[in-house]
Amino acid sequence: MTRDGRGPATSLWTLPDDVTTAGDHPPEPPSGPDEPFALSRQQDFLRMVDGGNDAGPFGPRYTIVGGWRVSGPLDVEVLRAALADVVERHEALRTSIVREPGNVHQRVRPPRPPRLDVEDLPLVPAERERHAEILLNEMESRPVPMDDNPTLRALLGRFDADDAVLVLAAHHTGVDGWSIQVVLRDLALCYAARRAGRSPELPPVRQYREYVRWQRATADTPAVAAARAYWAERLRGAAVTPIRMDRPRGAQRPDGTAWHRFHHDDDLRRRVQAYATSRRCTPFMVMAAAYVRQLADAAGLDEVVMPTFTPGRRPAWTLDMVGSFFNLLPLRVRTGGAGGFADLVDRVRDACLAAYRHEIPFVDLLGVAPELMAAAAGEEHASCVFQLVQSPYMAVGQRVGDLTYRAMRRRLRSQEHGSQIPDGALWAVEFDAAGGIVGSVGYRRDQFRADTVAALVAEYRDTLDRALPA
């Protein structure tokens, strides 16, 4: 099967021939919005896991979706205009990736207003949260072709004149989870400014092509060379610890991605936070340690290599940008000889801090550890990434102008068809502002059964509960 109908596809976790290793690619020359420019190393990662069909990262279901409850007198036409303002502000929302054989590049297109659909929702007050989540799931199941201009779409569900649901969706090749929160922030500011008849007060922003240029220009710096040397030594002889699939790869037929969602009680959240404080680490490190223990116990392992996504927002001027910045980092943790859960948490903390200090794009990391993903690409196994959702722009009851925005983070409705995962599973957790821990596991339907994923989550809950003091 071909990636784009014209050239051979690469196998899973294999770099395409035209993707260079760190330090070998020339600096990106200065470019304007009408000129083609290279892919970022994060986008090269997406090419690496591309299977050459619509189920991969360049297909129409590889999307990022965010939802917000909006309270106040919302003007639909002003919202349309504000959406257009955001598309004009962020080039990544109107950038296409061109995959011509031997000439893979991306190009910014002229700004166009994004699509905004408006739907009426049932008026029953007691049912509004349920209908809001159903609408969000429905939007997540819809395709967003990568070649659309712009790649941003919006859906507004209205309960009444002062209560609505706003859902934003964009293609994941140019927008990550952090970015969709930036889009909402800027949209809220543009909307409020238009309602007030003034210019929006937005922070200065740079464009994704500038990040690509910076990334290439710094590929040979001493800091990057030191990071590659660190990973070459740290990952010597290591492989990502996979989980067993229900169906071998030879028996799989692309069947989309399902999402299992869950909620842990607030008592568990408080215990995680208290234990993190006592061990002088983050709650993520505590929760990751429980997952490491689960993996080690399941297979009788003396060490675990757990992959996790980071926001990748370095340097600091990328914080207000829309683009694809996330990095995959492997945390190698020795589990044998651990003196209880406290010792394991300390080992995870040390692995995290070292990994964060030496963070580089995964394709460059793989250049010095080429066998890292071998076990996760086997006939019977796949990788499962464990991550904590994080963004500084998460709107939680934030009032901007005459509207109040509340991010819909407490999602409890599982769905059989949602945003695509190219391979394996993605496990995400976050603390719920309303109490407890919410989470989701996205998984390939042709690789895992729903009951297998539910059992993994239940086992993790028990592992974490037993590990923490009462």
Side-chain angles (χ1 to χ4, degrees):
M1 183 176 294
T2 61
R3 177 184 295 109
D4 55 7
R6 289 168 289 186
T10 57
S11 59
L12 185 68
W13 299 111
T14 302
L15 285 173
D17 293 337
D18 59 348
V19 175
T20 55
T21 57
D24 292 336
H25 47 270
E28 179 71 4
S31 61
D34 296 328
E35 300 172 326
F37 60 100
L39 272 60
S40 68
R41 303 304 278 168
Q42 288 83 352
Q43 292 167 325
D44 283 334
F45 166 79
L46 298 180
R47 293 184 64 206
M48 182 177 66
V49 296
D50 178 26
N53 53 42
D54 282 351
F58 299 101
R61 298 189 183 279
Y62 189 60
T63 57
I64 284 290
V65 179
W68 296 264
R69 292 296 300 274
V70 183
S71 302
L74 196 152
D75 186 315
V76 174
E77 294 311 311
V78 174
L79 179 63
R80 290 187 194 275
L83 283 164
D85 292 338
V86 174
V87 169
E88 184 172 5
R89 171 174 165 83
H90 294 289
E91 290 180 356
L93 297 174
R94 45 190 171 88
T95 298
S96 61
I97 294 178
V98 181
R99 293 172 293 152
E100 297 175 350
N103 184 30
V104 178
H105 62 276
Q106 48 190 332
R107 185 184 294 270
V108 179
R109 296 166 293 180
R112 294 179 181 174
R115 175 175 170 179
L116 170 63
D117 296 324
V118 181
E119 298 182 11
D120 291 328
L121 298 177
L123 297 176
V124 182
E127 295 290 314
R128 292 189 179 185
E129 289 293 331
R130 182 173 71 88
H131 284 293
E133 189 172 352
I134 290 173
L135 187 72
L136 182 52
N137 281 5
E138 179 186 336
M139 185 66 161
E140 194 172 90
S141 69
R142 297 180 184 179
V144 179
M146 183 183 66
D147 294 331
D148 274 9
N149 180 20
T151 60
L152 176 69
R153 293 186 178 181
L155 172 62
L156 181 68
R158 308 198 73 170
F159 293 110
D160 56 42
D162 295 305
D163 188 4
V165 183
L166 176 63
V167 185
L168 302 175
H171 202 275
H172 202 357
T173 52
V175 176
D176 56 19
W178 183 303
S179 295
I180 204 70
Q181 305 298 327
V182 174
V183 170
L184 186 277
R185 181 203 65 181
D186 291 359
L187 175 62
L189 291 172
C190 289
Y191 177 91
R194 282 187 170 273
R195 287 276 288 181
R198 55 173 174 80
S199 299
E201 298 177 358
L202 291 166
V205 66
R206 296 168 70 171
Q207 302 300 337
Y208 195 63
R209 54 190 165 84
E210 299 178 69
Y211 170 73
V212 173
R213 189 185 313 136
W214 170 87
Q215 191 179 61
R216 288 183 164 241
T218 58
D220 289 319
T221 61
V224 174
R228 292 200 298 269
Y230 165 82
W231 288 113
E233 178 62 28
R234 178 68 177 174
L235 298 176
R236 193 181 308 277
V240 162
T241 304
I243 60 176
R244 180 173 290 276
M245 297 183 292
D246 291 314
R247 302 177 186 88
R249 294 191 185 276
Q252 295 170 11
R253 299 292 181 270
D255 191 29
T257 296
W259 289 83
H260 172 81
R261 296 192 173 93
F262 57 91
H263 177 264
H264 299 322
D265 58 76
D266 200 50
D267 176 67
L268 187 64
R269 178 192 62 80
R270 289 194 297 267
R271 290 163 63 198
V272 168
Q273 287 183 311
Y275 199 76
T277 300
S278 72
R279 301 310 304 175
R280 303 180 70 177
C281 67
T282 67
F284 167 73
M285 294 171 185
V286 175
M287 300 186 73
Y291 182 64
V292 166
R293 169 169 282 183
Q294 180 177 348
L295 287 177
D297 291 347
L301 300 174
D302 288 330
E303 78 166 20
V304 165
V305 180
M306 185 199 88
T308 187
F309 280 122
T310 68
R313 296 280 170 158
R314 298 179 182 177
W317 50 261
T318 63
L319 297 179
D320 291 304
M321 291 173 57
V322 171
S324 180
F325 295 93
F326 63 90
N327 285 323
L328 186 66
L329 290 183
L331 304 178
R332 188 177 191 178
V333 181
R334 178 161 176 77
T335 56
F341 189 63
D343 190 15
L344 184 59
V345 170
D346 291 346
R347 296 181 186 189
V348 169
R349 179 191 59 201
D350 292 344
C352 285
L353 293 177
Y356 299 156
R357 286 196 303 270
H358 298 95
E359 181 175 349
I360 54 176
F362 186 72
V363 292
D364 295 331
L365 187 155
L366 199 63
V368 299
E371 300 302 315
L372 181 65
M373 300 305 300
E379 181 67 12
E380 304 287 341
H381 295 84
S383 64
C384 180
V385 179
F386 188 93
Q387 70 167 353
L388 178 72
V389 177
Q390 51 186 320
S391 169
Y393 304 122
M394 201 77 72
V396 182
Q398 183 176 0
R399 187 169 182 83
V400 184
D402 54 3
L403 297 179
T404 300
Y405 301 84
R406 175 171 60 85
M408 295 174 58
R409 309 307 303 174
R410 190 185 179 94
R411 300 179 63 183
L412 304 179
R413 300 182 68 85
S414 299
Q415 62 186 116
E416 292 188 356
H417 296 281
S419 299
Q420 186 70 35
I421 292 175
D423 188 70
L426 172 61
W427 191 314
V429 293
E430 63 180 301
F431 283 4
D432 185 6
I437 301 170
V438 293
S440 63
V441 180
Y443 60 96
R444 285 270 302 268
R445 287 162 47 92
D446 56 343
Q447 295 178 344
F448 300 97
R449 297 193 310 266
D451 60 336
T452 297
V453 174
L456 284 172
V457 172
E459 181 184 352
Y460 173 78
R461 169 67 173 81
D462 291 342
T463 301
L464 183 60
D465 183 49
R466 291 193 305 268
L468 296 173

